[in-house]
């Protein structure tokens, strides 16, 4: 296989954007990847199989981290840093698979449509916490008649009759509601009652939530207009992430004094064999959260590193740092969960309905503290910042990839940015409806399932099609350190097995989620998540049609790397010496002269 330029293949040559900038500090890349761990729908969509595992259940995470998380982080970082381009143009390494970049673009945009709800909910509670009396506190909340809450459960006991398929098997259970959950449901007339006990309600748009959505997207637009430069954006991310983690630690310390909080911490750190078993199953999915809402985020973020950045050590730091973020939020969740456990009576027939404990139920717990308004503002400001960090980081990688791939758009960066944000703000209004709020997790799980497929294809493209020897040579040249062959063996043979296992688990969980979701959400998932996967082989066929010769010749030429070399002149010249003139066609020098 020889190295070809786009001139030889008949395609448009890649012209790097030499004005795209670099991180102000090398650690800004690490902070940006830490921000990906603030993707807190992890604590929503995986509630039923994650929250009761605790710290011991996370031990399998470290095994998966060593086997395939860190190695795949290295590959993502390698492609972005070596090519100095986003997740579309980086597939110059093998143009046949370039459709993966466009699929990653679709997944990133799809995730941004529903992720706004995680910023809207904190903003709602922040704004209403400015009232003298919190409307979800026991003093300010007025429940409907015959509704038992944690505020009046000692005064009235409303029995909910549940039955199994056997009509003779009937038992009663007291459902105790949390005022803050009921308060959020009041934004929708159809959610005021227990909708899940009957048929699904008709669609209903909450104009108040839609208004908060406009506010969130306006804030994001302001950020990109004010901090569009890479150095400024990296500095903003750094301070936002440090502030978010600082507020999280403050809330963590304060929650320790809630009734039952210490029991929650004990339950979290207590060694249990069943936690290990459950963790072996669920951690395969949670590990994939390290890449954020979209698939190519790490690839695009690493493209702003200096060429010699040691991505090996950075990948380990990122993996352990993200684990720390998960543990901190896990501790908060367990303390809040056990706070509500203390409100149950000794009878097994009492059930406290805790929904979205980190986002919704937590407001009622905060209302019991001294100076509840202040603590509510602090806590939900932390959640709001975490959500905005995830959204702007995802958008930053999207814009980076678009401007790297399409040279024409570089002259209209501000117009493109505002246009994309307006489109997302309009399309995301669906997730301000009652169905969007209830069933968005199905779309999130579908995206995670597709991530496993994308990782498998990436291993195929880089380690098999591009080749083990070339990958090892390139990464050693880039970081200036040897890259052991046993690491490549793990990536080629061991990691794919775990990714296949992760894919099967993802299919199972996603199918279960859709069983409780609406048919419209299934159609949205097909359009936004599953159908774009067809673009990968479709684009590969398109590339083959542009070449000449028989089928095998077309396929080989479509898989050959095009314009695959460092963008900086000094690094490029050194790379040409390493590769050797025998492996590089003379047109490479023509492209070098034209670009410069």
């Amino acid at each position: 296989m020889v190295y070809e330029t786009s001139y030889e293949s008949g395609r448009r040559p890649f012209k790097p954007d030499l004005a795209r900038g670099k991180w102000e500090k090398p650690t800004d890349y690490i902070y940006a990847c830490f921000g990906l761990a603030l993707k807190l729908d992890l604590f929503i969509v995986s509630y039923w199989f994650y929250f009761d595992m605790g710290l011991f259940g996370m031990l399998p995470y470290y095994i998966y981290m060593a086997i395939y998380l860190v190695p795949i982080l290295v590959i993502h970082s390698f492609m972005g840093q070596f090519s100095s381009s986003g997740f579309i143009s980086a597939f110059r390494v093998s143009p046949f698979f370039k459709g993966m970049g466009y699929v990653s673009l679709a997944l990133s945009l799809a995730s941004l449509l529903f992720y706004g709800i995680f910023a809207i909910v904190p903003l709602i509670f922040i704004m209403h916490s400015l009232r003298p009396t919190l409307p979800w506190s026991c003093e300010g909340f007025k429940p409907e008649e015959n509704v038992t809450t944690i505020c009046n459960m000692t005064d009235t006991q409303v029995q909910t009759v549940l039955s199994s398929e056997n009509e003779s098997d009937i038992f009663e259970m007291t459902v105790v509601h949390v005022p803050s959950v009921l308060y959020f449901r009041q934004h929708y007339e159809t959610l005021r009652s227990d909708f899940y006990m009957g048929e699904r309600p008709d669609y209903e748009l909450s104009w108040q939530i839609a208004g908060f959505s406009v506010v969130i997207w306006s804030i994001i637009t302001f950020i990109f207009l004010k901090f569009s430069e890479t150095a400024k954006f990296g500095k903003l991310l750094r301070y936002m992430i440090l502030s978010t983690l600082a507020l999280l630690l403050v809330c963590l310390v304060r929650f320790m004094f809630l009734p039952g909080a210490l029991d929650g911490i004990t339950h979290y750190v207590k060694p249990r064999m069943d936690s290990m078993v459950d963790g072996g199953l669920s951690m395969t999915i949670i590990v994939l959260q390290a890449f954020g809402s979209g698939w190519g985020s790490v690839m695009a973020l690493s493209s702003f590193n200096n060429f010699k950045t040691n991505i090996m050590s950075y990948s380990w730091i990122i993996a352990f740092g993200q684990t720390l973020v998960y543990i901190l939020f896990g501790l908060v969740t367990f303390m809040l969960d056990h706070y509500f456990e203390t409100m149950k009576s000794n009878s097994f027939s009492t059930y406290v309905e805790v929904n979205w404990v980190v986002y919704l139920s937590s407001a009622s717990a905060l209302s019991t503290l001294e100076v509840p308004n202040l603590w509510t503002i602090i806590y939900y400001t932390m959640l709001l910042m975490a959500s905005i960090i995830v959204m702007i980081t995802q958008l930053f990688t999207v814009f980076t990839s678009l401007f790297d791939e399409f040279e024409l758009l570089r002259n209209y960066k501000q117009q493109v940015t505002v246009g994309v944000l307006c489109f997302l703000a309009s399309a995301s209004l669906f997730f301000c409806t009652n169905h969007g709020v209830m069933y968005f997790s199905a779309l999130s799980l579908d995206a995670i399932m597709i991530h496993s497929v994308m990782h498998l294809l990436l291993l195929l493209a880089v380690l098999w099609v591009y080749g083990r020897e070339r990958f090892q040579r390139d990464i050693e040249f880039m970081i200036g350190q040897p890259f052991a062959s046993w690491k490549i063996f793990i990536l080629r043979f061991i990691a794919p097995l775990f990714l296949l296992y992760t894919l099967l688990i993802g299919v199972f969980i996603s199918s279960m989620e859709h069983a409780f979701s609406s048919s419209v959400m299934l159609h949205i998932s097909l359009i936004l998540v599953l159908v774009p996967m067809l673009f990968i082989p479709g684009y590969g066929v398109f590339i083959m049609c542009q070449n000449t010769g028989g089928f095998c010749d077309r396929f080989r030429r479509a898989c050959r790397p095009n314009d695959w070399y460092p963008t900086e002149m000094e690094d490029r010249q050194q790379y040409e010496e390493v590769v050797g003139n025998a492996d590089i066609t003379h047109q490479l020098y023509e492209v070098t002269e034209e670009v410069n």
Side-chain angles (χ1 to χ4, degrees):
M1 180 185 293
V2 297
Y3 281 72
E4 292 185 347
T5 67
S6 297
Y7 287 114
E8 288 185 318
S9 60
R11 291 188 290 275
R12 175 179 56 86
F14 173 75
K15 294 185 178 180
D17 183 7
L18 300 180
R20 67 199 303 272
K22 298 285 186 181
W23 297 119
E24 184 180 64
K25 294 183 178 180
T27 53
D28 285 348
Y29 166 63
I30 296 179
Y31 283 117
C33 291
F34 281 173
L36 299 178
L38 297 173
K39 183 175 176 286
L40 298 181
D41 53 337
L42 162 68
F43 294 89
I44 303 299
V45 301
S46 58
Y47 181 91
W48 62 277
F49 68 90
Y50 171 66
F51 272 8
D52 196 40
M53 289 191 309
L55 190 61
F56 228 61
M58 289 195 67
L59 291 182
Y61 182 98
Y62 297 99
I63 300 175
Y64 300 143
M65 184 176 71
I67 291 178
Y68 69 93
L69 172 57
V70 171
I72 293 178
L73 278 173
V74 169
I75 291 186
H76 278 253
S77 302
F78 156 73
M79 290 188 63
Q81 186 170 305
F82 190 92
S83 64
S84 297
S85 54
F87 51 70
I88 300 177
S89 301
F91 279 93
R92 303 193 306 275
V93 69
S94 184
F96 183 87
F97 295 91
K98 194 174 183 179
M100 293 176 60
Y102 293 104
V103 172
S104 181
L105 177 66
L107 291 176
S108 298
L109 294 176
S111 65
L112 287 166
L113 292 180
F114 70 81
Y115 203 84
I117 191 65
F118 293 101
I120 293 171
V121 172
L123 187 58
I124 290 175
F125 284 100
I126 290 173
M127 296 303 296
H128 289 284
S129 65
L130 300 176
R131 299 183 181 182
T133 302
L134 296 177
W136 52 84
S137 64
C138 291
E139 295 79 14
F141 183 75
K142 304 301 182 184
E144 296 180 1
E145 188 178 355
N146 294 329
V147 174
T148 304
T149 69
I150 59 176
C151 299
N152 65 353
M153 61 183 299
T154 57
D155 301 328
T156 177
Q157 295 290 315
V158 179
Q159 303 295 324
T160 302
V161 178
L162 304 176
S163 63
S164 63
E165 296 179 358
N166 184 1
E167 296 182 358
S168 62
D169 183 13
I170 300 176
F171 60 94
E172 293 182 341
M173 176 175 288
T174 302
V175 178
V176 181
H177 298 275
V178 178
S180 55
V181 176
L182 295 179
Y183 173 78
F184 179 76
R185 287 186 186 176
Q186 289 179 352
H187 290 83
Y188 300 94
E189 290 292 335
T190 55
L191 299 187
R192 289 180 181 271
S193 60
D194 293 335
F195 64 89
Y196 49 83
M197 302 296 284
E199 296 182 357
R200 294 188 179 98
D202 296 331
Y203 284 89
E204 178 189 359
L205 174 65
S206 171
W207 290 105
Q208 184 176 1
I209 290 182
F212 281 113
S213 177
V214 172
V215 173
I216 293 299
W217 285 106
S218 299
I219 294 173
I220 292 174
T221 302
F222 171 78
I223 290 175
F224 276 96
L225 292 179
K226 193 71 175 178
F227 302 92
S228 58
E229 298 180 9
T230 302
K232 289 183 178 180
F233 185 82
K235 187 175 182 179
L236 174 68
L237 269 186
R238 186 198 322 155
Y239 287 123
M240 287 185 68
I241 291 170
L242 289 175
S243 300
T244 300
L245 295 179
L247 292 177
L248 175 60
L249 290 173
V250 170
C251 294
L252 180 66
V253 173
R254 181 62 186 89
F255 287 167
M256 293 176 66
F257 296 94
L258 284 171
L262 295 180
D263 292 336
I265 296 178
T266 302
H267 187 75
Y268 186 75
V269 300
K270 181 180 179 180
R272 289 175 295 152
M273 185 55 64
D274 60 325
S275 296
M276 287 284 293
V277 175
D278 294 339
L281 174 68
S282 60
M283 284 300 157
T284 57
I285 300 295
I286 295 174
V287 164
L288 298 181
Q289 302 281 342
F291 297 91
S293 298
W295 179 79
S297 302
V298 175
M299 198 178 297
L301 293 173
S302 64
S303 66
F304 296 100
N305 290 338
N306 292 319
F307 189 75
K308 294 295 183 180
T309 300
N310 188 355
I311 57 175
M312 296 293 297
S313 59
Y314 276 24
S315 296
W316 283 103
I317 294 173
I318 292 168
F320 279 106
Q322 290 186 340
T323 307
L324 178 61
V325 173
Y326 297 150
I327 291 175
L328 291 177
F329 275 101
L331 283 170
V332 170
T333 302
F334 267 73
M335 286 191 290
L336 291 173
D337 213 25
H338 279 259
Y339 164 76
F340 291 106
E341 286 285 337
T342 61
M343 298 182 178
K344 294 182 180 180
S345 63
N346 295 328
S347 173
F348 288 101
S349 63
T350 301
Y351 168 71
V352 179
E353 186 190 37
V354 181
N355 289 65
W356 285 26
V357 63
V358 175
Y359 279 87
L360 296 183
S361 302
S362 54
S364 287
L366 291 166
S367 66
T368 64
L369 302 177
E370 296 181 3
V371 197
N373 300 68
L374 176 61
W375 282 109
T376 301
I377 292 174
I378 292 175
Y379 178 76
Y380 281 102
T381 298
M382 179 268 295
L383 292 180
L384 176 62
M385 291 177 62
S387 302
I388 290 180
I389 287 170
V390 172
M391 295 179 71
I392 63 176
T393 303
Q394 195 65 45
L395 283 165
F396 182 70
T397 62
V398 167
F399 293 135
T400 294
S401 301
L402 284 175
F403 297 140
D404 284 339
E405 177 64 16
F406 302 103
E407 182 183 2
L408 180 63
L409 298 181
R410 299 172 190 171
N411 300 323
Y412 307 95
K413 287 187 176 181
Q414 184 170 325
Q415 294 89 330
V416 171
T417 300
V418 174
V420 171
L421 293 177
C422 289
F423 166 76
L424 291 173
S426 302
S428 63
L429 288 177
F430 170 80
F431 294 94
C432 296
T433 65
N434 52 352
H435 281 242
V437 169
M438 289 188 294
Y439 305 128
F440 73 90
S441 57
L443 185 62
S444 178
L445 287 174
D446 287 342
I448 290 297
M449 177 184 65
I450 298 301
H451 284 186
S452 299
V453 179
M454 299 282 283
H455 289 314
L456 284 169
L457 292 175
L458 179 67
L459 295 179
L460 174 64
V462 175
L463 296 174
W464 293 92
V465 177
Y466 182 62
R468 174 188 60 82
E469 294 180 355
R470 293 179 177 84
F471 167 73
Q472 189 173 10
R473 176 200 62 200
D474 288 355
I475 197 170
E476 288 179 348
F477 168 75
M478 184 178 68
I479 65 178
Q481 295 181 4
F483 192 82
S485 298
W486 63 267
K487 298 178 181 178
I488 298 181
F489 177 84
I490 291 177
L491 278 170
R492 297 184 82 194
F493 300 103
I494 307 300
L497 297 178
F498 282 86
L499 287 172
L500 286 173
Y501 173 67
T502 301
L503 177 60
L504 294 176
I505 298 298
V507 171
F508 171 73
I509 296 175
S510 180
S511 60
M512 289 190 62
E513 188 69 24
H514 276 291
F516 297 97
S517 181
S518 64
S519 58
V520 174
M521 194 59 65
L522 176 61
H523 295 152
I524 293 177
S525 294
L526 290 173
I527 295 173
L528 297 180
V529 179
L530 298 179
V531 171
M533 290 296 294
L534 300 176
F535 195 78
I536 298 177
Y539 191 88
V541 172
F542 171 74
I543 292 295
M544 290 177 62
C545 293
Q546 289 186 319
N547 294 318
T548 58
F551 177 84
C552 294
D553 291 335
R554 289 173 182 264
F555 180 73
R556 281 195 294 267
R557 292 177 67 86
C559 292
R560 290 174 179 172
N562 285 164
D563 303 336
W564 182 251
Y565 41 77
T567 57
E568 297 291 338
M569 172 63 72
E570 182 179 354
D571 296 327
R572 190 184 310 178
Q573 292 175 345
Q574 293 177 1
Y575 182 65
E576 292 168 0
E577 295 175 0
V578 170
V579 175
N581 292 334
D583 289 335
I584 305 181
T585 54
H586 67 282
Q587 285 89 346
L588 178 59
Y589 298 93
E590 297 177 5
V591 177
T592 302
E593 294 174 359
E594 180 179 341
V595 171
N596 291 279

